[in-house]
Amino acid sequence: MDSWTVPRFPPIPPDAAKDFQGKIVIVGAGVAGLFAANTLKFLGIEDFIVLEAGETFGGRLKSAFDFHEDVPLELGAEWIHASNGDVVKDMLVFPVDEGLEASEFIKYQPKWFFGSSRSRVLGCLYQETKWKRTTWLQWLERYVYRHVQDKVQFNAVVKEVAYGEDNGVRLLMEDGAELWAAKVICTIPLSILKLDAVKFDPALPMQMRKAIDSVGMLPGFRVLLAMKEKFYPDVTIDGGRFDLLKNQDQVCAVYDALYGKELSDKQNVLAVVAIGDKYCKDLIHLDDESLAKAALGIVDRLFKGQGTLNYIKHRVQNWSLEPYVLGAYSVGGASHERKELGKTINGRMLFAGEHTCVNFHSLVPGAALEGRRAAVEAVSGRIMS
């Protein structure tokens, strides 16, 4: 495709919180949770906290800062999924944040190969945008996290949310502590909801539970491989064109992780990304060393042993084993099921994340849009559209 359809971020009604009183708890400091927090801050709400089960913010945004001498590299979400970088400015909540200039983005239009066969059609039609010197995580920290970092509590594992209480919502923490809130915005990933890792009291409505079961969550991993020589093209897909067209949710791609970057040396980094059961089922339960060896085996098979001959070092990010994430991104499900996932329950329990976004699920902008939507709805009852 020559352009992506990206979400429009409607203005946040400045008076949305004028009649709101009470404490809001946001569960999760990923993209949706931090955008919900930013929206509350923008609206003048100070009585809120963000509970993050892990040790850092960002969710499925993660970067390797020491793998290459010149630039950080993505270990999680990488592509912007837009024909330019304008969407990252549109996402921002605070007017004082102007975002990044056009020079900070790469027009990503690589040469595509399926095995040894080049696809000139796909090379002409496909156009994307990527970061040039920064990453999604660095952008999130600079323009989003910094506004609310004093509100974020790490290693805060929520075990139970009782939203049927007479005087508010009670949250029971793993360490035994109890918190109370007027509203809770839950942004935990769909995979965690599927496992019932957080108990809801009363149980979630039947229609929402059906939607949780119906919408899929793909396994996935990424392996970065530093190489002595650049023996590979821009992008190589493991499999045929028709396999990818038939099921775009099952893909294994080997690509130049330094495409378009501004570099001072000749380091070479190859990335291996696999998404879906077809490519991940037998690999995601391996330890990091074994998974790196398997990824190198894929490279060897595609490039006649050049991977092993040129190998220097590796970095593994197995999202399927990442605590509190356990997957890559959501797929499938009908529009009404996505809407069901984002419904407010009992006027107190709100849900947000890429999995609750109808048109832009699996994307960073989709998660941001949903975080903003949930925050406005929490304090006003209005649904942004």
Side-chain angles (χ1 to χ4, degrees):
M1 60 185 67
D2 56 4
S3 63
W4 287 85
T5 301
V6 295
R8 174 184 173 273
F9 286 77
I12 298 170
D15 63 341
K18 63 183 179 66
D19 298 321
F20 180 78
Q21 293 183 342
K23 184 184 187 71
I24 295 179
V25 172
I26 300 169
V27 182
V31 173
L34 291 179
F35 269 88
N38 264 237
T39 303
L40 295 178
K41 184 85 170 181
F42 174 78
L43 291 171
I45 300 293
E46 290 294 335
D47 192 7
F48 73 91
I49 58 171
V50 182
L51 304 177
E52 169 54 46
E55 298 179 347
T56 188
F57 67 94
R60 280 163 274 175
L61 306 188
K62 194 171 184 179
S63 304
F65 293 104
D66 58 352
F67 196 77
H68 189 278
E69 293 179 3
D70 290 343
V71 291
L73 297 172
E74 302 280 23
L75 292 169
E78 181 169 3
W79 289 266
I80 294 172
H81 295 302
S83 57
N84 55 53
D86 290 348
V87 66
V88 302
K89 295 182 181 181
D90 195 29
M91 290 165 66
L92 297 174
V93 172
F94 292 94
V96 294
D97 291 330
E98 297 180 355
L100 299 173
E101 299 302 319
S103 61
E104 295 292 336
F105 301 99
I106 297 166
K107 181 180 178 181
Y108 188 68
Q109 199 163 12
K111 296 181 178 67
W112 288 79
F113 286 77
F114 290 84
S116 60
S117 176
R118 181 177 175 181
S119 173
R120 297 185 183 277
V121 173
L122 188 56
C124 292
L125 295 179
Y126 178 90
Q127 181 181 321
E128 252 279 13
T129 303
K130 292 177 68 174
W131 303 100
K132 181 176 287 186
R133 288 179 289 266
T134 189
T135 65
W136 267 122
L137 182 64
Q138 289 176 301
W139 178 85
L140 188 75
E141 180 174 24
R142 180 177 177 182
Y143 294 107
V144 184
Y145 177 68
R146 72 177 181 89
H147 290 292
V148 295
Q149 58 185 341
D150 61 320
K151 300 288 189 179
V152 181
Q153 297 180 14
F154 295 109
N155 301 305
V157 181
V158 177
K159 299 303 293 182
E160 181 178 341
V161 181
Y163 61 91
E165 305 284 341
D166 292 336
N167 54 342
V169 184
R170 177 176 57 85
L171 296 95
L172 178 63
M173 309 301 292
E174 187 177 58
D175 62 6
E178 284 189 352
L179 299 174
W180 286 85
K183 302 283 182 74
V184 170
I185 300 174
C186 178
T187 71
I188 63 177
L190 178 63
S191 51
I192 306 300
L193 292 175
K194 285 178 177 291
L195 290 176
D196 293 323
V198 177
K199 179 183 177 183
F200 292 93
D201 184 19
L204 297 178
M206 181 61 70
Q207 287 301 112
M208 179 174 283
R209 282 183 283 158
K210 286 182 178 179
I212 290 171
D213 291 338
S214 297
V215 178
M217 185 75 170
L218 293 176
F221 65 82
R222 176 171 303 177
V223 179
L224 299 179
L225 298 165
M227 294 292 176
K228 298 172 187 175
E229 302 291 338
K230 188 178 183 299
F231 56 84
Y232 45 87
D234 299 336
V235 181
T236 301
I237 301 296
D238 186 8
R241 296 172 176 82
F242 294 109
D243 293 334
L244 184 62
L245 289 173
K246 184 178 179 181
N247 194 343
Q248 297 182 30
D249 297 329
Q250 307 289 328
V251 62
C252 179
V254 178
Y255 62 94
D256 181 3
L258 300 177
Y259 177 102
K261 304 284 188 181
E262 292 184 351
L263 308 173
S264 62
D265 59 22
K266 294 182 180 180
Q267 284 183 274
N268 306 295
V269 179
L270 187 61
V272 179
V273 169
I275 302 292
D277 285 332
K278 178 180 178 181
Y279 294 99
C280 298
K281 185 177 181 180
D282 296 328
L283 301 179
I284 55 174
H285 299 294
L286 298 176
D287 60 68
D288 283 359
E289 292 300 313
S290 298
L291 184 53
K293 185 176 180 179
L296 193 61
I298 294 171
V299 176
D300 281 341
R301 175 166 51 80
L302 292 173
F303 299 104
K304 300 180 180 179
Q306 288 297 307
T308 297
L309 289 175
N310 286 279
Y311 170 82
I312 299 174
K313 61 179 180 178
H314 66 264
R315 178 71 56 83
V316 172
Q317 179 59 49
N318 187 349
W319 286 105
S320 296
L321 294 185
E322 185 73 22
Y324 314 116
V325 179
L326 302 180
Y329 48 78
S330 66
V331 294
S335 295
H336 73 272
E337 291 170 327
R338 297 274 179 178
K339 290 179 180 178
E340 192 68 40
L341 292 175
K343 278 189 176 179
T344 297
I345 306 173
N346 202 24
R348 297 172 174 175
M349 274 300 309
L350 299 100
F351 294 83
E354 56 88 6
H355 58 282
T356 70
C357 194
V358 174
N359 296 317
F360 308 103
H361 56 81
S362 82
L363 307 183
V364 175
L369 184 67
E370 286 295 284
R372 288 174 46 151
R373 184 268 307 162
V376 171
E377 185 175 347
V379 297
S380 69
R382 305 184 212 171
I383 300 177
M384 295 175 68
S385 59

